[in-house]
């Protein structure tokens, strides 16, 4: 069982009364805590959302329940597919993304995080829809790689993330060269994301994806960025053993520190 306080906000629920400054002050006085509440814009997909919450829990230094952070989750599976919207004229996910952000703010979140790399193409609209900070997973990942002295990284991600260049723009000026899969290798990564993890196929054949990863390493990548939040799950499910960098973990660590918790790192 997870020890952290866990409030799941289903999208179908009616919004509750916003938590005002007096409410938060009384809560702090009652508990003696000054920690911030984390809000997760989730549902992209549900397993990736659960993975982020688990990482927050496992990487928070705690000896009892009360040492953990309060986490609010809106697992909004009504958010349209981000890659389809960006590349194929699909439904715009912005209204659902900003609605989730606003709901979490009303529920008392002090900071928002979003476990979807492709959705960070809509980051500015989400940040503009609320009055609280929204952490940026890709920026946190770039900072972590710089701190490790990485100069070349392979990017494993959806077509939407790769083709819109959000990683390339965020990494500009960091001194880190981003390598992306070519041709069939990129299709193999997409196939593992959608036909493997998102489809819940526990026995998916990841051999083509393995070849794609090995090709990136042969081209000089020092690490492989799991640039889709389904990919950390793929690494576990399909026993992929490569030098990975996990943006979901970097986001979890950043959220813990921002909210006033201590990490186990």
């Amino acid at each position: 069982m997870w020890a952290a306080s866990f409030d799941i906000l289903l999208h179908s629920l009616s919004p509750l009364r916003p938590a005002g400054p007096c409410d938060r002050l009384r809560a702090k006085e009652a508990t003696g805590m000054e920690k911030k509440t984390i809000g997760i814009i989730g549902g992209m997909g549900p397993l990736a959302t659960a993975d982020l919450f688990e990482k927050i829990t496992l990487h928070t230094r705690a000896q009892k329940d009360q040492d953990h952070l309060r986490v609010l989750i809106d697992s909004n599976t009504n958010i349209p597919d981000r890659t389809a919207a960006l590349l194929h004229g699909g439904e715009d996910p912005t209204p659902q993304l900003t609605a989730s952000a606003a709901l979490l703010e009303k529920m008392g979140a002090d900071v928002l995080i979003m476990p979807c790399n492709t959705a960070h193409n809509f980051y500015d609209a989400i940040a503009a829809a609320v009055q609280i900070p929204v952490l940026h997973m890709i920026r946190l990942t770039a900072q972590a790689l710089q701190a490790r002295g990485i100069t070349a990284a392979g990017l494993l991600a959806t077509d939407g993330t790769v083709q819109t260049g959000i990683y390339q723009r965020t990494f500009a000026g960091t001194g880190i060269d981003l390598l992306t899969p070519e041709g069939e290798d990129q299709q193999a990564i997409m196939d593992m994301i959608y036909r493997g993890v998102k489809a819940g196929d526990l026995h998916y054949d990841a051999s083509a994806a393995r070849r794609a990863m090995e090709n990136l390493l042969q081209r000089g990548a020092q690490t492989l960025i799991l640039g889709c939040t389904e990919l950390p799950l793929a690494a576990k499910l399909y026993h992929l053993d490569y030098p990975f960098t996990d943006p979901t973990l970097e986001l979890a660590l950043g959220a813990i520190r921002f909210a006033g918790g201590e990490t186990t790192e």
Side-chain angles (χ1 to χ4, degrees):
M1 294 179 64
W2 290 333
S5 175
F6 184 27
D7 294 314
I8 301 178
L9 307 181
L10 297 177
H11 186 67
S12 60
L13 293 179
S14 300
L16 301 181
R17 181 180 65 84
C22 291
D23 297 311
R24 297 184 191 185
L25 179 60
R26 281 193 292 269
K28 288 177 180 179
E29 289 174 346
T31 62
M33 297 173 63
E34 294 296 331
K35 296 174 184 173
K36 295 180 174 65
T37 297
I38 299 168
I40 298 178
I41 302 171
M44 303 176 283
L47 280 175
T49 303
D51 182 50
L52 174 58
F53 175 69
E54 181 179 39
K55 286 184 166 96
I56 291 172
T57 305
L58 293 177
H59 292 274
T60 298
R61 187 178 300 280
Q63 296 185 357
K64 58 184 184 301
D65 290 353
Q66 292 74 24
D67 292 334
H68 284 277
L69 298 162
R70 187 174 188 188
V71 180
L72 308 175
I73 299 177
D74 183 8
S75 187
N76 182 2
T77 54
N78 291 323
I79 299 172
D81 187 271
R82 284 65 60 201
T83 295
L86 290 164
L87 301 183
H88 308 299
E91 184 181 353
D92 182 5
T94 305
Q96 289 287 349
L97 287 166
T98 55
S100 280
L103 174 61
L104 289 163
E105 183 179 33
K106 288 178 181 177
M107 287 297 297
D110 299 300
V111 61
L112 298 180
I113 54 178
M114 179 168 57
C116 176
N117 288 266
T118 312
H120 279 70
N121 282 283
F122 307 93
Y123 174 88
D124 289 343
I126 297 165
V130 293
Q131 302 299 312
I132 56 177
V134 183
L135 301 190
H136 197 291
M137 176 162 55
I138 301 172
R139 290 177 193 156
L140 290 169
T141 301
Q143 292 165 7
L145 291 181
Q146 282 184 299
R148 288 164 50 191
I150 296 294
T151 58
L155 176 61
L156 307 174
T158 64
D159 290 349
T161 295
V162 173
Q163 294 182 32
T164 57
I166 186 168
Y167 261 85
Q168 291 86 340
R169 292 193 303 274
T170 306
F171 274 59
T174 64
I176 301 169
D177 185 24
L178 279 179
L179 308 174
T180 55
E182 299 173 342
E184 292 182 355
D185 284 352
Q186 176 59 26
Q187 182 54 49
I189 299 302
M190 280 288 287
D191 196 75
M192 182 171 65
I193 292 169
Y194 279 88
R195 295 180 59 191
V197 178
K198 284 185 179 292
D201 185 351
L202 301 180
H203 305 291
Y204 176 81
D205 180 3
S207 57
R210 289 177 185 276
R211 287 193 294 272
M213 297 176 198
E214 289 163 4
N215 287 340
L216 286 171
L217 293 171
Q218 290 174 4
R219 288 166 55 194
Q222 297 163 282
T223 185
L224 300 177
I225 300 171
L226 298 173
C228 171
T229 47
E230 264 73 30
L231 289 175
L233 298 162
K236 293 179 184 178
L237 290 172
Y238 310 132
H239 308 290
L240 305 174
D241 187 17
Y242 298 99
F244 290 130
T245 294
D246 182 359
T248 305
L249 176 58
E250 299 305 332
L251 182 61
L253 295 173
I256 293 166
R257 292 166 183 148
F258 188 94
E262 292 186 45
T263 68
T264 57
E265 308 303 300

